[in-house]
Amino acid sequence: MNKFLTLLASTALVVACNTASIPANAQEKSEQPTVKSYGEVITPEGAISTEELVKAMSEKNELVTKVEGEVITSCAMKGCWMDMKLADGSTMKVRFKDYGFFVPTKGLEGKHAVIQGTATREVVDVATLQHYAEDAGKSKEEIEKITEPRTDMMFLADGVLITF
């Protein structure tokens, strides 16, 4: 019986000493970011920064391009638009070609996106600005404060890549 207990204790010790734990950094490396595609299939190659977009649009009213940047929010109702942060501190409304695809309604804040399509400068009327504010979940008071049209950079996207 004594030999059996000694053998059992030795076996347990060998198993415990030979069981390697996975280092924390190895676990992090196995979690690769997921890139999801919406609309036309596009690649990130050739995308310009929002800083380059703002500079290019200072000289043009329309530009067919591919842009990468940070998503600020998306339409909470359907996912039929999203806002991206521009390098000059403003935002750009991204709509989707022919209303043909949508992005998630939640969880896009701070995510990296690549969009392909056409950037334009547009005068957005009060009713549309109020509609966007309503879709974004703004309060009635915030919506009522919108009383003037605004010239904004807009983007009509054929395809979108979002990194989660």
Side-chain angles (χ1 to χ4, degrees), residues 94-164:
V94 180
R95 296 173 298 187
F96 309 116
K97 185 179 179 182
D98 299 327
Y99 211 60
F101 61 96
F102 304 102
V103 297
T105 58
K106 297 183 219 170
L108 293 186
E109 297 80 12
K111 302 296 185 219
H112 181 264
V114 175
I115 56 176
Q116 179 176 293
T118 306
T120 58
R121 290 209 176 276
E122 295 179 21
V123 175
V124 185
D125 62 65
V126 172
T128 302
L129 291 171
Q130 290 176 337
H131 175 77
Y132 287 148
E134 184 179 348
D135 280 355
K138 302 286 184 187
S139 71
K140 184 178 178 181
E141 292 78 25
E142 289 174 292
I143 294 169
E144 289 174 351
K145 288 180 183 177
I146 301 170
T147 59
E148 296 289 325
R150 194 173 68 207
T151 301
D152 287 345
M153 180 136 22
M154 307 292 270
F155 198 96
L156 185 60
D158 303 326
V160 176
L161 295 174
I162 300 175
T163 304
F164 290 89

Side-chain angles (χ1 to χ4, degrees), residues 1-141:
M1 178 76 172
N2 206 10
K3 285 185 179 180
F4 176 73
L5 290 175
T6 303
L7 180 61
L8 185 60
S10 297
T11 302
L13 184 60
V14 168
V15 170
C17 291
N18 286 329
T19 304
S21 63
I22 299 172
N25 62 354
Q27 289 174 348
E28 291 171 11
K29 288 181 185 174
S30 67
E31 295 178 19
Q32 296 296 321
T34 302
V35 177
K36 292 193 177 180
S37 178
Y38 303 90
E40 288 182 17
V41 176
I42 65 170
T43 65
E45 286 75 34
I48 62 173
S49 68
T50 59
E51 184 175 355
E52 292 169 296
L53 176 65
V54 168
K55 184 177 178 183
M57 288 299 290
S58 70
E59 302 165 5
K60 300 178 181 193
N61 287 322
E62 182 174 300
L63 179 65
V64 176
T65 190
K66 191 183 296 185
V67 180
E68 63 178 327
E70 180 184 339
V71 178
I72 297 179
T73 191
S74 64
C75 171
M77 304 302 269
K78 281 187 171 180
C80 57
W81 54 261
M82 66 183 190
D83 286 340
M84 288 182 69
K85 183 187 292 187
L86 292 176
D88 65 0
S90 64
T91 61
M92 174 174 64
K93 182 76 63 196
V94 180
R95 296 173 298 187
F96 309 116
K97 185 179 179 182
D98 299 327
Y99 211 60
F101 61 96
F102 304 102
V103 297
T105 58
K106 297 183 219 170
L108 293 186
E109 297 80 12
K111 302 296 185 219
H112 181 264
V114 175
I115 56 176
Q116 179 176 293
T118 306
T120 58
R121 290 209 176 276
E122 295 179 21
V123 175
V124 185
D125 62 65
V126 172
T128 302
L129 291 171
Q130 290 176 337
H131 175 77
Y132 287 148
E134 184 179 348
D135 280 355
K138 302 286 184 187
S139 71
K140 184 178 178 181
E141 292 78 25

